[in-house]
RNA sequence: GGCUGAGUGGCAGAGUGGUUAUGCAGCGGUUUGCAAAACCGUGUACCUCGGUUCAAUUCCGGGCUCAGCCUCCA
């Protein structure tokens, strides 16, 4: 029985889909004006893991992750670069897809773009105005926060406290400082769309309300995103959606924790971010994915080279077990282990606990000296199968363990390495251990480790 | 100031009202020409002060510390 921590209640709740057997999930995606950093990677990986697990549980999942391709920062960046906004956004959408592919993130079922949903956005704003939840002020359109009594429910805030904590200059056009913009009148030179309120473009919050309800219906199961979107973005989405449709919005809100650097949130504004492609220079993509999944999705995740190195060592261990496992392993995964795995994951997607199970499988497999045994085959199949559910262990083990990265100091190809190995094997059989050790030390100094096994000498990159 | 969340062994990171997390690193052993990999063994961990209890790291309350939100942010 799957339980999910719902930000709306602050508690783990038994998950009951609106329509039995089906799940509709919307996740706030990227604003495409720059490369994805590790914080973005976490969102992509976490919700990919969730979608995979829901499917593994037999649910028919509709997963939507939007792309924000029009906003202030996009306009500003395009101007800086002297390119059109579509040139800029297309470029970074390609980059984002490269990053997510590398991380083993499966494509969502739908990736709606804000610029392609102007009719839905404008319609929703019109409805809000008709229902007196929004007003026009100086060609902008604002949402009237006081018209929605449940405002603050998701973020645990109330409107008085928010007013007291108000730190932003009040804009004249707003009736209330808490009101937020639905439609911005175009400034000269800015891209714009025609609307009943003149040329302009949508505010950030309304696009997600319009796209989520358009793609999944007014009332859907899960809405997700980073913790920093809980307020005001998600709070505003609820207000807009509920007020325009008159129906419930998302049943369950899932927020993933931040990535930190030196105990501080990784963010653009602090400048302490590492882009995915930057980290990929040093680590294999699966190491990043493993690192992300080895802590619970709601906990903070401390980014550091040491922690990535540790993730790499742990993942190496899993792949080493698979490397030495029966090649032709076939059969059914072990039911008892699958059940244990499901119990971990049913408890609010406890991936660290699930990964501990993977390590136990690897140990049992290593312990099993008879690789042709039925047990060894079962353990192998189970380990691979559970890896699939988490989007891990999909590589060929040998390929993974021998993969080159930018931190590799050698420029040897497989043939060259094999030549060294052959030379050493010859020295060994001639009992010339000094020479054999020299060769091994030489390769080790280049980051290549040798292992003598009964089947011959094999190698890996450190 | 208001509101969240968190403080676990050298490090990372789960979990639990009394019983082994798991990983990385270390130490001892098996194995090896020596290694590596692997396996076996090895850690008297739960911020602090009170309370509840036969029993609390786990529940409750105070304190301290940290992070986040209250402005764009995944």
């Amino acid at each position: 029985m799957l339980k999910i921590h719902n930000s709306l209640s602050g508690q783990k709740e038994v998950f009951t889909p609106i329509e039995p057997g089906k799940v509709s999930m919307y996740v706030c995606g990227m604003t495409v004006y720059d490369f994805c950093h590790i914080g973005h990677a976490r969102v992509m990986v976490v919700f990919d893991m969730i979608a995979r697990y829901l499917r593994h549980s037999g649910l028919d999942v509709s997963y939507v992750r939007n792309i924000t391709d029009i906003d202030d920062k996009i306009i500003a960046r395009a101007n800086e670069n002297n390119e059109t906004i579509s040139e800029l956004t297309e470029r970074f959408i390609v980059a984002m897809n490269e990053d997510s592919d590398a991380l083993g993130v499966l494509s969502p079922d739908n990736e709606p773009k804000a610029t392609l949903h102007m009719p839905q956005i404008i319609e929703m704003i019109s409805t809000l105005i008709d229902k007196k939840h929004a007003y026009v002020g100086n060609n902008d359109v604002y949402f009237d926060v006081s018209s929605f009594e449940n405002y603050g429910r998701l973020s645990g805030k109330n409107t008085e406290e928010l007013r007291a904590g108000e730190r932003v200059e009040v804009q004249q056009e707003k009736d209330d400082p808490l009101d937020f913009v639905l439609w911005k009148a175009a400034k000269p030179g800015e891209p714009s769309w025609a609307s009943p309120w003149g040329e302009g473009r949508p505010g950030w919050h309304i696009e997600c309300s319009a796209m989520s309800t358009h793609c999944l219906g007014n009332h859907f199961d899960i809405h997700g995103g980073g913790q920093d979107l809980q307020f005001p973005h998600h709070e505003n989405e609820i207000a807009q959606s509920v007020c325009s449709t008159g129906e419930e919005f998302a049943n369950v809100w899932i927020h993933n924790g931040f990535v930190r650097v030196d105990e501080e949130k990784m963010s653009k504004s602090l400048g302490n971010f590492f882009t995915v492609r930057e980290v990929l220079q040093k680590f294999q993509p699966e190491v990043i994915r493993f690192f992300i999944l080895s802590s619970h999705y709601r906990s903070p995740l401390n980014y550091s080279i040491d922690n990535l190195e540790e993730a790499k060592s742990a993942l190496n261990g899993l792949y080493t077990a698979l490397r030495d496992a029966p090649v032709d392993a076939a059969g059914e995964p072990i039911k008892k282990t699958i059940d244990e795995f499901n119990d971990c994951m049913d408890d609010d997607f406890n991936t660290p606990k699930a990964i501990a199970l993977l390590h136990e499988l690897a140990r049992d497999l290593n312990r099993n000296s008879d690789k042709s045994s039925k047990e060894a085959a079962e353990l192998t199949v189970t380990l691979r199968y559970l890896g699939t559910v988490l989007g891990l262990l999909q590589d060929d083990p040998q390929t993974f363990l021998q993969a080159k990265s930018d931190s590799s100091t050698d420029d040897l190809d497989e043939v060259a390495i094999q030549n060294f190995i052959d030379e050493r094997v010859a020295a060994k059989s001639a009992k010339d251990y000094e020479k054999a050790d020299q060769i091994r030390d030489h390769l080790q100094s280049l980051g290549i480790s040798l292992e003598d096994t009964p089947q011959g000498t094999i190698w890996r990159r450190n």
Side-chain angles (χ1 to χ4, degrees), chain A residues 122-397:
Chain A
I122 289 168
E123 194 191 329
M124 188 175 263
I125 297 175
S126 300
T127 305
L128 287 169
I129 294 175
D130 291 347
K131 293 189 173 181
K132 308 278 188 245
H133 287 294
Y135 56 92
V136 181
N138 206 15
N139 295 328
D140 293 335
V141 182
Y142 294 98
F143 184 89
D144 177 4
V145 168
S146 67
S147 74
F148 180 55
E149 63 175 354
N150 276 332
Y151 193 82
R153 189 178 155 215
L154 175 67
S155 52
K157 300 178 189 308
N158 65 56
T159 46
E160 278 93 79
E161 281 166 7
L162 282 166
R163 288 195 185 95
E166 191 63 52
R167 290 199 262 150
V168 176
E169 267 180 61
V170 179
Q171 285 174 268
Q172 293 300 319
E173 302 78 20
K174 290 188 191 179
D175 291 351
D176 183 320
L178 296 185
D179 293 349
F180 54 91
V181 72
L182 298 173
W183 188 262
K184 295 182 184 191
K187 296 189 185 106
E190 281 183 356
S192 64
W193 288 260
S195 82
W197 322 284
E199 287 283 316
R201 60 192 163 87
W204 176 39
H205 313 300
I206 194 71
E207 66 174 69
C208 277
S209 284
M211 288 189 280
S212 58
T213 53
H214 177 247
C215 296
L216 297 173
N218 292 343
H219 184 199
F220 54 93
D221 292 300
I222 299 174
H223 192 131
Q227 216 165 46
D228 46 0
L229 300 187
Q230 193 165 331
F231 188 90
H233 184 55
H234 291 161
E235 197 70 71
N236 292 352
E237 267 189 67
I238 292 172
Q240 293 161 341
S241 304
V242 171
C243 290
S244 66
T245 68
E247 295 179 42
E248 293 284 300
F249 189 42
N251 277 353
V252 180
W253 287 81
I254 301 181
H255 292 102
N256 67 275
F258 296 125
V259 176
R260 293 190 196 167
V261 180
D262 297 329
E263 301 302 319
E264 245 183 348
K265 175 184 169 184
M266 178 182 289
S267 72
K268 287 272 168 75
S269 48
L270 287 167
N272 60 349
F273 62 91
F274 294 84
T275 63
V276 172
R277 47 197 56 211
E278 190 178 348
V279 182
L280 282 176
Q281 310 263 303
K282 198 158 165 47
F283 292 96
Q284 295 184 71
E286 193 175 343
V287 171
I288 303 176
R289 186 179 177 102
F290 187 88
F291 167 64
I292 290 171
L293 294 179
S294 55
S295 75
H296 186 87
Y297 76 88
R298 284 190 287 113
S299 306
L301 179 65
N302 249 351
Y303 173 89
S304 76
I305 295 296
D306 283 354
N307 289 350
L308 280 165
E309 292 284 2
E310 189 191 311
K312 181 183 167 182
S313 299
L315 188 55
N316 272 350
L318 259 21
Y319 267 118
T320 303
L322 282 177
R323 179 194 64 183
D324 302 333
V327 192
D328 54 349
E332 288 297 306
I334 305 163
K335 171 124 191 346
K336 182 170 172 290
T337 311
I338 303 295
D339 288 345
E340 284 178 60
F341 176 87
N342 290 344
D343 284 346
C344 299
M345 294 295 285
D346 277 347
D347 185 15
D348 197 25
F349 311 107
N350 193 335
T351 54
K353 207 172 170 185
I355 286 174
L357 219 50
L358 262 41
H359 286 296
E360 283 168 26
L361 280 172
R363 189 198 52 213
D364 289 347
L365 186 53
N366 286 331
R367 215 166 6 196
N368 210 307
S369 51
D370 180 8
K371 300 298 180 200
S372 61
S373 67
K374 183 165 170 281
E375 291 75 20
E378 281 179 350
L379 289 165
T380 306
V381 168
T382 309
L383 184 50
R384 287 212 183 111
Y385 174 69
L386 294 182
T388 311
V389 178
L390 295 175
L392 297 170
L393 305 176
Q394 302 303 292
D395 262 5
D396 169 62

Side-chain angles (χ1 to χ4, degrees), chain A residues 55-181:
Chain A
R55 291 196 171 106
H56 159 82
S57 305
L59 294 161
D60 181 8
V61 180
S62 265
Y63 174 23
V64 179
R65 190 185 65 206
N66 77 296
I67 294 174
T68 296
D69 60 350
I70 177 69
D71 96 320
D72 290 351
K73 275 174 294 211
I74 290 173
I75 295 169
R77 184 63 63 90
N79 283 341
E80 276 171 40
N81 293 354
N82 231 334
E83 61 186 332
T84 66
I85 62 158
S86 60
E87 281 165 352
L88 177 84
T89 56
E90 286 307 318
R91 212 150 49 77
F92 284 112
I93 288 170
V94 169
M96 176 183 78
N97 288 331
E98 287 169 359
D99 291 342
S100 70
D101 286 350
L103 294 170
V105 171
L106 304 172
S107 296
D109 300 296
N110 195 351
E111 296 184 76
K113 293 177 186 168
T115 53
L116 299 181
H117 290 78
M118 287 304 157
Q120 290 82 7
I121 292 169
I122 289 168
E123 194 191 329
M124 188 175 263
I125 297 175
S126 300
T127 305
L128 287 169
I129 294 175
D130 291 347
K131 293 189 173 181
K132 308 278 188 245
H133 287 294
Y135 56 92
V136 181
N138 206 15
N139 295 328
D140 293 335
V141 182
Y142 294 98
F143 184 89
D144 177 4
V145 168
S146 67
S147 74
F148 180 55
E149 63 175 354
N150 276 332
Y151 193 82
R153 189 178 155 215
L154 175 67
S155 52
K157 300 178 189 308
N158 65 56
T159 46
E160 278 93 79
E161 281 166 7
L162 282 166
R163 288 195 185 95
E166 191 63 52
R167 290 199 262 150
V168 176
E169 267 180 61
V170 179
Q171 285 174 268
Q172 293 300 319
E173 302 78 20
K174 290 188 191 179
D175 291 351
D176 183 320
L178 296 185
D179 293 349
F180 54 91
V181 72

